[in-house]
Amino acid sequence: MVEDPDLAPQCSAKGCRAAAVWRLHWNNPKIHSPERRKTWLACDEHRPTLSAFLDARGFLREVVPFASSGSATAS
């Protein structure tokens, strides 16, 4: 079975179709409970800019390597 590259987890940066390498876990404390985590996926190129965007707003909680589980989703 050949996996469809359009369905593979991709970077969350606008217009980027590169494979996901990092998970950026974040939440907005004004609207999310402290334990709630949203996830953006990032390629190596966009990890610094996506992290900086979230960190500047106080939303970034952690950055971890992405390991495809076959059922990953980004929100």
Side-chain angles (χ1 to χ4, degrees), residues 21-40:
V21 180
W22 298 97
R23 285 183 186 262
L24 286 67
H25 297 284
W26 64 277
N27 79 353
N28 179 340
K30 290 182 181 179
I31 61 174
H32 299 127
S33 61
E35 64 279 351
R36 171 91 189 266
R37 291 294 181 264
K38 308 263 302 169
T39 301
W40 281 357

Side-chain angles (χ1 to χ4, degrees), residues 2 6 11 13 16 19 22 25 27-28 31 34 38-39 43-44 51-52 55-56 59-60 64 70 72 75:
V2 176
D6 289 333
C11 180
C16 184
W22 298 97
H25 297 284
N27 79 353
N28 179 340
I31 61 174
K38 308 263 302 169
T39 301
C43 64
D44 280 330
S51 293
D55 196 40
F59 296 173
L60 187 63
V64 296
S75 54

